[in-house]
Amino acid sequence: AAAPVCVLVLGMAGSGKTTFVQRLAAQLQGQRCPPYVINLDPAVRDLPFPANIDIRDTVKYKEVMKQYGLGPNGGIVTSLNLFATRFDQVMKFIEKRQNASKYVIIDTPGQIEVFTWSASGTIITEALASSFPSVVVYVMDTSRSTNPITFMSNMLYACSILYKTKLPFIVVMNKTDIIDHSFAVEWMQDFETFQDALNQETSYVSNLTRSMSLVLDEFYSSLKVVGVSAVLGTGLEDFFVQLSKAVDEYEREYRPEYERLRKTLASISTIEKAQSKQKREQLEHLWKDMGTVCVQSNTLAGPDDASAMGPSDLILTRGTLDEEDEERESDTDDIDHDVTEQSHEEPAFRNFMEETRMKYQRRSNQDE
């Protein structure tokens, strides 16, 4: 069976991610194509859709806060980190359901930075993308983006997520039942129109936004944008069209890269195993060679007899069995011989010095 498509739903708090996931799941259920839904938000109180896997069943958010003395955001991050340590089991569940579910929808925490910039978010995203076709869906609140500065902030965040995840990307402009998203599409397609909207702003941020808008032209050119109303369900047909295009993009551009990385990691693992096996063989040969050196202990041997020692004792004492032999084999033989000769002539030298001292003493007494 074809691998299911993993849809990672991200977005700012209040953008309507959970409502969008609910509408998406209901649409697929109505088409008799039930999705596999995963909830990764441990702080949500009421979930408006049935989840096949719920992080709240595994990690208790409030207990984590009490146990580690954390605040709300720290508790969410820690809960997600704890859940990510067992995400390999989630991957097994997805593999088992790939015959029954064509889509896997993942709802993320409302605090977008918790999933986007945390280690657990990276682990989950890379685990899914390395095994299944994965698409990132960025949900944006259209009604709050009528201000050009707020719109640019959303686009900058979307651009950063695109380059962070390195996956096909779809921007879903939600809440089109309140305001149509055509103005945002026009700002993305026509640079002059966006500049005219910015000219009405006189703050310093508007000047910064004007400079940043030049950078995002290339980002806009390849971006997939869909206007959706999660409440009314409008725009979902266009969303599924863009989703199929994103899956084709994954198969064409992203899967070969992940296959290459997998082969590279497999080759590295093979090399490491071969090196480890070679080291074990060398160590075994070394112990065999050391075993041939070992001589049975002799009760008549003295404490200085090397034949009475085992291999390990021989290595530890090798070169220090006889200090006199070590001195004879020293590289400084000439110096050692000079010292030896001086030690033999030490009494005569002492007498010579004593006589000299007495002569000087008698001469000084005569002078006085």
Side-chain angles (χ1 to χ4, degrees):
V5 177
C6 295
V7 182
L8 280 163
V9 183
L10 306 175
M12 298 286 188
S15 61
K17 296 187 302 299
T18 303
T19 308
F20 175 73
V21 171
Q22 178 192 16
R23 177 60 64 178
L24 202 60
Q27 180 84 1
L28 291 172
Q29 288 282 358
Q31 297 175 358
R32 296 185 179 180
C33 181
Y36 197 74
V37 184
I38 301 174
N39 173 47
L40 295 181
D41 190 356
V44 65
R45 182 171 297 177
D46 298 320
L47 207 61
F49 54 84
N52 299 92
I53 297 178
D54 196 340
I55 189 176
R56 298 177 301 171
D57 298 335
T58 305
V59 183
K60 302 300 180 183
Y61 165 66
K62 292 185 178 180
E63 292 298 326
V64 171
M65 290 176 60
K66 292 179 182 178
Q67 182 175 353
Y68 295 98
L70 301 172
N73 288 343
I76 294 174
V77 172
T78 306
S79 300
L80 203 59
N81 290 342
L82 293 172
F83 187 77
T85 59
R86 295 292 182 268
F87 199 74
D88 55 336
Q89 300 178 13
V90 178
M91 297 290 292
K92 293 179 181 178
F93 286 129
I94 296 175
E95 291 174 357
K96 291 179 180 179
R97 287 295 302 270
Q98 65 181 359
N99 294 329
S101 300
K102 186 179 179 182
Y103 297 97
V104 177
I105 305 174
I106 299 101
D107 189 19
T108 57
Q111 290 75 7
I112 185 173
E113 66 278 358
V114 170
F115 186 84
T116 306
W117 303 109
S118 65
S120 55
T122 303
I123 291 172
I124 293 172
T125 304
E126 292 183 352
L128 292 172
S130 61
S131 301
F132 308 104
S134 302
V135 179
V136 176
V137 175
Y138 181 77
V139 181
M140 189 178 77
D141 190 347
T142 311
S143 61
R144 294 183 182 178
S145 301
T146 54
N147 188 305
I149 296 176
T150 308
F151 171 79
M152 179 56 61
S153 300
N154 268 297
M155 289 296 102
L156 287 174
Y157 216 111
C159 182
S160 64
I161 295 173
L162 170 65
Y163 287 106
K164 179 71 169 57
T165 56
K166 299 178 182 178
L167 287 172
F169 200 81
I170 301 175
V171 174
V172 172
M173 294 185 176
N174 194 18
K175 303 183 182 180
T176 56
D177 55 313
I178 300 176
I179 185 172
D180 190 69
H181 70 291
S182 57
F183 74 95
V185 176
E186 187 179 4
W187 283 353
M188 296 171 64
Q189 295 176 352
D190 191 350
F191 177 77
E192 296 297 333
T193 305
F194 183 71
Q195 294 300 316
D196 293 339
L198 273 177
N199 290 333
Q200 300 176 6
E201 302 288 337
T202 58
S203 61
Y204 170 76
V205 182
S206 64
N207 296 328
L208 178 62
T209 304
R210 187 175 291 104
S211 302
M212 294 302 298
S213 61
L214 296 171
V215 181
L216 296 181
D217 278 341
E218 185 178 355
F219 171 65
Y220 292 152
S221 62
S222 59
L223 192 62
K224 300 177 180 63
V225 181
V226 181
V228 171
S229 173
V231 175
L232 302 179
T234 57
L236 289 182
E237 293 80 7
D238 295 336
F239 171 76
F240 281 107
V241 171
Q242 296 295 334
L243 184 60
S244 63
K245 293 180 180 179
V247 173
D248 294 338
E249 181 183 353
Y250 173 86
E251 297 290 346
R252 183 177 64 255
E253 299 181 8
Y254 293 91
R255 182 180 288 278
E257 182 66 19
Y258 279 104
E259 292 293 338
R260 186 186 64 81
L261 290 175
R262 187 182 292 110
K263 291 179 181 179
T264 303
L265 293 175
S267 62
I268 292 175
S269 177
T270 304
I271 293 173
E272 290 178 351
K273 289 181 180 179
Q275 290 177 349
S276 177
K277 182 179 179 181
Q278 185 179 3
K279 289 179 181 178
R280 288 198 303 269
E281 292 177 354
Q282 291 177 353
L283 188 60
E284 291 175 358
H285 288 312
L286 177 62
W287 281 110
K288 289 180 181 179
D289 294 340
M290 290 170 58
T292 59
V293 177
C294 179
V295 181
Q296 293 182 355
S297 59
N298 186 3
T299 55
L300 300 178
D304 296 334
D305 192 353
S307 63
M309 300 181 180
S312 59
D313 298 331
L314 185 63
I315 291 174
L316 292 175
T317 58
R318 183 169 294 167
T320 59
L321 292 177
D322 194 346
E323 295 181 357
E324 295 181 359
D325 294 340
E326 183 180 2
E327 290 180 357
R328 294 193 196 102
E329 297 176 358
S330 175
D331 294 333
T332 58
D333 286 341
D334 296 338
I335 299 176
D336 293 339
H337 288 309
D338 293 341
V339 173
T340 306
E341 291 174 0
Q342 182 178 348
S343 63
H344 288 304
E345 296 175 357
E346 188 175 3
F349 180 74
R350 189 183 299 112
N351 295 334
F352 171 74
M353 292 298 294
E354 184 66 23
E355 292 176 358
T356 304
R357 188 182 65 79
M358 294 298 294
K359 287 180 181 180
Y360 279 104
Q361 184 67 31
R362 285 196 299 270
R363 185 174 296 176
S364 60
N365 291 338
Q366 290 175 0
D367 292 340
E368 290 178 357

